[in-house]
Amino acid sequence: MSDPIQQRVEQVRERIAAAAQRAGRSPAAITLVAVTKTHPAEAVAAALATGVADMGENRVQEASEKIAQLASQRGAIRWHLIGHLQRNKARQAAELFDLVHSLDSLRLAEALSRNVSAQRVLDVLLQVNVSGEASKEGFGLPGGVENRAALPALLADVERIVALPGLRVRGLMTVAPWGSDPEQARPTFRALRLLRDELSRRFPQADWSQLSMGMSDDFAVAIEEGATIVRVGRALFGQRDQTMGR
Ligand SMILES: *Cc1c(COP(=O)(O)O)cnc(C)c1O
């Protein structure tokens, strides 16, 4: 028998492929990010051994410890920051991560831009709260592009963000409301895709190709709605200790 992480990776990859097929998309167009928050460096190494190269962490401090422990594998792993980032950690984050999914304000974008070292470009996704859930981080745009009252403020911020040196916008990220039925997340994912389409029309100078959406319970629905990056924790590593990380 192969080890449990390998089995789970295979199962998740099969479900990714099936969802992609249903949507007429290539499974190769979807990146699986293994969300390793709360799990030790050994879990990261186990995922890497199965061929998963993208790891997601939600805290800078925790990530920096694992990245240091896995320094010999640094070139083989792409590290993704998926949790809220405080501006005073912008410099550290700009050094550690390959893609920041959680860019959620103009001020944070400016702080990251100032802190990216000269020879680097930091890839970022704009996190948008399209569901309107109060507990969710991100630029607030409940309802997505239909929200004509809130759209101008977002567009003004995006115009400045896409012009910042050192940052390269790659697309959008969202977190769907928690619910027992993955279908409940579909309108949120669809709203993010429609917003992406609108932003790519308005700001064609930036790359809007990436849609980071979908977690353990709803990644298949997210793929049907256009996700290019899914962030999967529990389906790969099992339940997390509730006292650490959500
Ligand atoms: C923890 C987390 C995930 C992974 O969630 P699972 O339900 O374990 O798959 C994905 N995205 C974000 C932003 C997270 O914080």
Side-chain angles (χ1 to χ4, degrees), residues 35 37 82 173 175 215-216 231-234 240 246:
V35 175
K37 65 185 182 194
I82 62 172
M173 179 273 221
V175 179
M215 311 183 4
S216 288
R231 312 177 305 266
V232 180
R234 288 167 302 129
R240 283 179 293 275
R246 286 164 296 163

Side-chain angles (χ1 to χ4, degrees), residues 112-230:
L112 283 168
S113 173
R114 276 195 303 276
N115 283 289
V116 177
S117 53
Q119 57 285 18
R120 265 200 86 203
V121 174
L122 181 65
D123 284 335
V124 295
L125 304 177
L126 274 52
Q127 179 173 357
V128 186
N129 177 355
V130 285
S131 73
E133 249 197 327
S135 61
K136 294 283 186 285
E137 261 124 18
F139 290 92
L141 191 66
V145 282
E146 301 294 311
N147 188 336
R148 294 289 154 182
L151 188 60
L154 175 71
L155 295 176
D157 285 350
V158 171
E159 182 164 20
R160 292 175 66 176
I161 292 170
V162 297
L164 288 171
L167 296 190
R168 181 165 56 199
V169 172
R170 306 297 309 276
L172 302 179
M173 179 273 221
T174 201
V175 179
W178 187 87
S180 48
D181 177 5
E183 283 299 328
Q184 287 172 359
R186 192 181 293 277
T188 299
F189 299 146
R190 187 168 295 168
L192 195 73
R193 169 166 49 87
L194 293 173
L195 175 62
R196 186 277 305 273
D197 295 348
E198 178 75 16
L199 293 174
S200 63
R201 271 193 296 276
R202 289 181 185 256
F203 304 100
Q205 69 271 37
D207 169 15
W208 298 99
S209 60
Q210 302 302 311
L211 283 175
S212 169
M213 53 191 199
M215 311 183 4
S216 288
D217 294 329
D218 53 22
F219 67 83
V221 173
I223 290 167
E224 290 169 8
E225 295 299 330
T228 63
I229 303 174
V230 292

Side-chain angles (χ1 to χ4, degrees), residues 36-51:
T36 50
K37 65 185 182 194
T38 77
H39 298 292
E42 290 72 31
V44 178
L48 183 65
T50 72

Side-chain angles (χ1 to χ4, degrees), residues 86-114:
Q86 287 165 332
R87 270 177 286 133
N88 62 7
K89 297 202 174 127
R91 177 182 299 272
Q92 220 189 337
E95 277 164 19
L96 289 173
F97 293 98
D98 298 290
L99 179 63
V100 172
H101 295 224
S102 45
L103 182 61
D104 57 8
S105 71
L106 173 59
R107 292 180 75 194
L108 176 60
E110 289 168 341
L112 283 168
S113 173
R114 276 195 303 276

